[in-house]
Amino acid sequence: METIKLTIDNKEIDVHRGTTIYKAARELGIDIPTLCYMELHDMGIENNPAGCRICVAEVEGRRNLAPTCSTKCEPGMKVKTHSTRVLNARRTVMEFILSDHPKDCLVCSKSGNCELQDMSHRLGIREIPGQEFAATSTYRKDTSPSIIRDLDKCIMCRRCEMMCNEVQTVGALSAVNRGFMATVAPAFEQNLEYSTCTYCGQCVSVCPTGALTEVNHVPQVLRALNDPTKTVVVQTAPAVRVALGEEFGLAPGSIVTGKMTAALRALGFDYVFDTDFAADLTIMEEGTELLDRLTRHLKGDKTARIPILTSCCPGWVNFFEHYFPDLKDVPSTAKSPQQMFGAIAKSYFADKIGINRKDMVVVSIMPCLAKKYECQRDEFSVDGNPDVDYSISTRELANFIKQANIDIKNLHDEEFDAPLGESTGAGVIFGATGGVIEAACRTAYEVYTGKKLERIDFTELRGMEGVRSATIDFNGLPVNIGIAHGLGNARKLLDEVRSGKSQFHAIEVMACPGGCIGGGGQPLHHGNSEIIKARAAAIYAEDRKKPLRKSHENPFIIKLYDEFLGKPGSEKAHHLLHTHYFDKKKKIIVKK
Amino acid sequence: MSSIKIELRNEDVDFIKATCSKFNSDPQELINVLHSCQEHFGYLPAEVQEVVSGHLNVPVAKVYGVVTFYSFFTMTPKGKHPISICMGTACYVRGAEKVLEEFRKELKIQVGGTTSDNKFSLSSLRCVGACGLAPVVLVGDKTYGRVAPDDIKGILKEYEK
Ligand code: SF4
Ligand code: SF4
Ligand code: SF4
Ligand code: FES
Ligand code: FES
């Protein structure tokens, strides 16, 4: 590729043609401030509307300042990134943005973690001239089961729109209106709830301000913990333990499993359990279903639908219910680990400790916002009592721990409680893209072949490419595996399934780029994909540390089947651990 | 946004489909498709946008985004008697704004709006080429010249049946 030479702030640099000034400057160690621009490097995700103009710089010989995030380098260019003119322009832009922004930082849920606040601070804005005359645009606040939209705080960076349309191909959000009233909204400015939103939360995870946030369920959890008549049980998803530390200043990829367990106990939960246990259970059910469908398919049974699709991601479930309802018999019927956990906690475990399910409150700690919606689905409750009462995100848990002034960094590691706290490495890797199917292969291989796996690590299933595939040799039977993360990638594989062209026997789908480690409820990555990769590495490190790494070897899973469920796929297992899907391809209901 | 719930008849849906096909169901042609639909229906209700979205394979949020971005698209139907006030230079100078103001007061709607009984809608126009008659008001096909704010009540009365 052709390289060109230019100077930025009097420093010379060679870059590939096509490089933006912003990126060239970054290579020189010059960090030009940006607001609307966001990139998740090597995940193919970039937001570049050149809308905010915070990133401007002076290019010698040009009349106008250039937005560096979108202006390409030219040979011989002379760029100044911090001339007086540039600094003044940036300040003016910032003042303009702030003049139409609420000033309630003190009580904003993004405060302390807001890119707009940081930018105001960085640019040294101390007053907003003329704000007594400036009108502010106001929008209605919209609360859905998972997400709150408070568009008064929107700065029109359009990152959410990019995530929802280009990465997820959901298209629930679009820029609407023009000028002063411009905003990002679902069709007809309806509530998000009436749109095709999957609650993946990827818009929330990139929103620089408090315009998009999760629904906060900490107060409800606090109330339950305060209620002496309730036994409060908590489960924690695999991706939480490799990300929670970031909220307390630890390096991305720090594993805080033991400290998190200790903190949850300190918060007053009666039983601290692990969703990883339920992940092992998912493998037993989903793996059995996979083998059953596969063997029937190989025998020529036309009713056995192949490929089987994983179903543990509720964002993904929402997606196919909206967009591929004709394929709703293709995904596994196994519930997500969150819901399997709830169903077992409120039956088997409630019986064990001799309490009524109504006196038990199940809380889940999730990297996910779709789980908030999932646990509120009607089919996951018994006589109006939900299997999982509240789902709170990694971010909410961090905030809860801070509120309770628990010094998590200095807590001693503690273990999960038995019996629903025991898990294998297979349960842990559910948190990263490729992990569910790897866990399924570990078990399905041994069950199908009757042999012990020589190599537990299916590294061919790991990685960060959006769509991956591998063929696993089941002792002579080649099993074709497909993996997609990010719903746009899932759509590609689903289109193939729909047209009958799919060569896969099993496909894993995770709605969020990177899998749950990149979930909509995780600590914000602020456009740094290294963080997501560090979390993935931590997940696999945690797996390697486990004495048991295959779900079917989990002694408590074996016991659960012996004592309670019978066999995987039994009638009781079906009743408690499986679900069905709905056709949501509805027309949008236009409300007056 | 206020939206009016309408039922599309089969032939309406067919018209939209045919229009999309005419443009090869190309998502790039969204604006042209919407233009044709607005010409046909007079406005672009949500239901029309949904059908367009389905046939062009563009999310309905995006269709709505385009409809609300361009001022020539409207989601409110024109009234039975559409009223247009010329805002060209000559009319403006001779007090078109006061005339418009009077219509707004009488009908209790804004420019671009339609009365709740669907009788009148209000819009403004560029020079209609009758500067000698300024200020000029059009109601349906009928032209009124040298209109003064005091005439408004009388003009509206003509259509009060
Ligand atoms: S949660 Fe996901 S699907 Fe819903 S609006 Fe946000 S990005 Fe789109
Ligand atoms: S809602 Fe947030 S992400 Fe979306 S455009 Fe507004 S500020 Fe940007
Ligand atoms: S990938 Fe994980 S975090 Fe994202 S929606 Fe699915 S389950 Fe939730
Ligand atoms: S960051 Fe470059 S225009 Fe917004
Ligand atoms: S300005 Fe009104 S008709 Fe010419």
Side-chain angles (χ1 to χ4, degrees), chain A residues 131-207:
Chain A
Q131 73 160 313
E132 28 331 340
F133 322 108
T136 45
S137 47
T138 48
Y139 308 88
R140 161 181 73 86
K141 211 164 168 167
D142 165 24
T143 303
S144 69
S146 298
I147 294 169
I148 301 176
R149 295 171 55 244
D150 184 2
L151 276 298
D152 290 351
K153 294 190 175 158
C154 174
I155 57 168
M156 275 313 267
C157 69
R158 303 177 71 168
R159 292 183 190 177
C160 56
E161 186 190 16
M162 182 277 298
M163 270 296 180
C164 192
N165 288 271
E166 280 152 52
V167 177
Q168 301 297 59
T169 66
V170 172
L173 296 175
S174 168
V176 304
N177 302 327
R178 67 185 306 156
F180 197 47
M181 286 312 286
T183 189
V184 174
F188 315 121
E189 288 161 72
Q190 298 273 4
N191 295 349
L192 198 58
E193 209 177 335
Y194 305 124
S195 74
T196 52
C197 171
T198 65
Y199 302 127
C200 69
Q202 284 303 312
C203 52
V204 177
S205 70
V206 298
C207 180

Side-chain angles (χ1 to χ4, degrees), chain B residues 86-92 126-131 134-136:
Chain B
C86 177
M87 284 287 164
T89 316
C91 293
Y92 190 85
R126 295 283 152 94
C127 174
V128 293
C131 305
V136 173

Side-chain angles (χ1 to χ4, degrees), chain A residues 158 161 165 170-178 185-189 587-592, chain B residues 1 3-5 45-47 49-51 59-66 68-71 75:
Chain A
R158 303 177 71 168
E161 186 190 16
N165 288 271
V170 172
L173 296 175
S174 168
V176 304
N177 302 327
R178 67 185 306 156
F188 315 121
E189 288 161 72
K587 285 215 348 180
I588 287 158
I589 310 145
V590 181
K591 297 228 165 114
K592 240 188 160 171
Chain B
M1 181 223 47
S3 66
I4 291 137
K5 180 105 188 101
E47 289 73 9
Q49 296 180 41
E50 280 176 4
V51 181
V60 63
K62 287 265 163 190
V63 176
Y64 176 75
V66 167
T68 52
F69 186 81
Y70 293 102
S71 54
M75 284 183 67

Side-chain angles (χ1 to χ4, degrees), chain A residues 33-37 48-56 67-70:
Chain A
T34 57
L35 208 45
C36 64
Y37 180 73
N48 202 348
C52 75
R53 310 266 149 178
I54 280 287
C55 65
V56 287
T68 55
C69 68
S70 57

